[in-house]
Amino acid sequence: MVSLICTLQDHCDDVNWCAFSPTLLATCSADKTLRIYNTRDFSEVPYSPLSGHGYGVHCCCFSACGQYLASCSTDGSTVVWSTDTGEIEAVLEHPGRNPVRVCAFSPNSSHLVSGASDGTLGLWDFHTKTLHRTGAVNDTTMVACSFTPCGQMFVTGSTYGDLRLWDLDMNQLHAEKNTHDLGVTCCCFGPNILSDSGRVQFRLASCGQDSTLKIWTVSRSNTGSCKMQLLHTLTGQSAPVLSCAFSADGQLLVSGSVDKTVTVYDASQGTLLYTLNQHERYVTACAFSPSTPLFATGSMDKTVNIWRLEDGHSGHEGKSLPVETATLSCEGRKLLCHSRLLVSDWSEEDVGAWLCEEGLQALVENFKANNIDGAELVSLTKETLASELNIESVGLRSKVLRKVEELKAGCVCTGVPDEYLCPITRELMKDPVIAADGYSYEREAIESWIATKNRSSPMTNLPLQTTLLTPNRTLKMAIGRWRTSQ
């Protein structure tokens, strides 16, 4: 079941785009501003609204770790903002200063692409904020762009109706003509990477003026050849479809239309799950949260609706939550904190909460008096339990050690933003590095992988062009801030 939990009414003109980071929601509008909200309670952050564009803002997107926000405008620029302070970090002037209609970060935030109304593309090196490559499709307007989850390719959509696949050197790898009659309006890749018979496959959604939403398979072989295959054509809306977005797990697909509806589909089966009718004008934007069961839709009615998926997509009736209970309170987050961190990062309070969960309440005060935090917990031995904690019962000491071993064996970073977890170990990264496949890994894990796996990518199974590893300092800082906030 889907519940409307709140409506944001701060913009004074059409809402053109919305985007989530793990902790923030950004919206942009024809009123020339961006507004930033905290996803805990959807209150506006102190530095919002952001006013740096001279004309309407068409699109906005967060970097992978949420530290930066990019926005593009009719004024011909893409502005990079700090989400810590709201200050402008850089202004990227598009070649020719034509109106910029769309912008998108690569998954590891090493690149940013911008597309303009004259059909030109700018691919920026985000670390240096310099123009890396340019490209163009003549006689059209670029209105859509999305990177593959591996970050090595991106797709563009235009008013001409075609979808084009590019590599990071701006070589055009494939062109799918006439995908949407009268033009593409939006496109986005799903988060999953599939391997099949020597080919890497991705899921791509596109929508257009022909009132359809389409799901494609985009594949690339070991030899570099690419192709697109249409899987589903979805016709749940009766007018042009203006926006689409995959959920963080790739299982759901949401779209917004000129017919004022929002539709939610099962992305695998292509079946319509829900049709939502809360906007009064065209639905121009939609986005899923990467960390909570929420999605946002923006409209020409100047509002942004926040929706909650109560029951996944089972279709069973569920209880709607009022706005004030849609997110956890600070107290609730503290109680759940110990289950979201690595054990070694637990505080003494987290250890106490875990003892209570395991039926060891009688030991809480003893552990607290001896300052046992997560790091101390995983280092406990029979000797320290007996001599330092004075636990005389052999059976109780054995029970504690057994519970600790079970904890270490089954520890999963549930609730940690997925981009902070190493894809190999699924543990919170301490020294993240970027490999040649564009993904970030824990240094020790990827070095071991390269040494034993014949230089293939853990994510794509394709050969790594180089074993050079680049420190991902931005991600490391983001992880540090996240750990401090927990």
Side-chain angles (χ1 to χ4, degrees), residues 29-34 50-59 71-81 88 90-102 114-117:
S29 168
D31 66 9
K32 307 179 188 178
T33 70
L34 296 98
L50 301 177
S51 301
H53 287 289
Y55 295 92
V57 187
H58 292 292
C59 179
S71 61
C72 60
S73 166
T74 302
D75 63 16
S77 71
T78 300
V79 176
V80 179
W81 312 81
I88 294 177
V91 177
L92 311 179
E93 303 289 354
H94 194 84
R97 290 299 303 273
N98 285 284
V100 184
R101 294 291 304 274
V102 66
S114 56
S117 60

Side-chain angles (χ1 to χ4, degrees), residues 207 310 312 452 454:
C207 54
E310 301 290 354
T452 59
N454 198 26

Side-chain angles (χ1 to χ4, degrees), residues 66-290:
Q67 184 180 4
Y68 299 104
L69 175 69
S71 61
C72 60
S73 166
T74 302
D75 63 16
S77 71
T78 300
V79 176
V80 179
W81 312 81
S82 166
T83 58
D84 289 332
T85 64
E87 297 294 324
I88 294 177
E89 295 284 327
V91 177
L92 311 179
E93 303 289 354
H94 194 84
R97 290 299 303 273
N98 285 284
V100 184
R101 294 291 304 274
V102 66
C103 58
F105 275 105
S106 63
N108 64 0
S109 302
S110 60
H111 292 91
L112 176 70
V113 67
S114 56
S117 60
D118 63 348
T120 59
L121 291 166
L123 183 64
W124 304 84
D125 182 312
F126 185 67
H127 298 305
T128 61
K129 311 297 189 298
T130 57
L131 189 61
H132 175 63
R133 292 283 191 278
T134 59
V137 179
N138 295 328
D139 303 320
T140 191
T141 294
M142 289 294 176
V143 293
C145 182
S146 180
F147 275 90
T148 57
C150 69
Q152 299 301 299
M153 300 179 289
F154 63 93
V155 70
T156 59
S158 73
T159 54
Y160 186 76
D162 58 333
L163 291 168
R164 296 174 186 265
L165 190 66
W166 310 77
D167 66 16
L168 297 183
D169 289 321
M170 294 298 284
N171 298 309
Q172 192 176 133
L173 305 176
H174 181 78
E176 194 76 16
K177 302 293 185 65
N178 303 314
T179 57
H180 291 275
D181 191 25
L182 303 178
V184 174
T185 53
C186 186
C187 65
C188 62
F189 275 103
N192 301 318
I193 302 174
L194 307 172
S195 294
D196 181 32
S197 302
R199 302 186 74 87
V200 179
Q201 296 184 350
F202 313 95
R203 291 288 185 269
L204 174 72
S206 66
C207 54
Q209 298 287 349
D210 57 1
S211 306
T212 67
L213 174 65
K214 296 182 178 181
I215 302 177
W216 309 80
T217 293
V218 178
S219 61
R220 186 175 189 180
S221 70
N222 291 332
T223 61
S225 64
C226 298
K227 69 176 184 178
M228 289 179 58
Q229 181 178 356
L230 182 63
L231 293 180
H232 302 291
T233 298
L234 310 178
T235 57
Q237 289 164 307
S238 60
V241 184
L242 302 181
S243 56
C244 59
F246 278 100
S247 60
D249 60 5
Q251 295 183 19
L252 299 177
L253 183 63
V254 65
S255 63
S257 170
V258 169
D259 67 8
K260 308 176 189 177
T261 67
V262 175
T263 54
V264 182
Y265 295 89
D266 181 311
S268 298
Q269 302 299 319
T271 54
L272 178 63
L273 301 174
Y274 308 105
T275 299
L276 311 173
N277 298 277
Q278 292 292 330
H279 283 292
E280 297 178 358
R281 294 193 65 197
Y282 302 173
V283 182
T284 52
C286 54
F288 273 96
S289 166

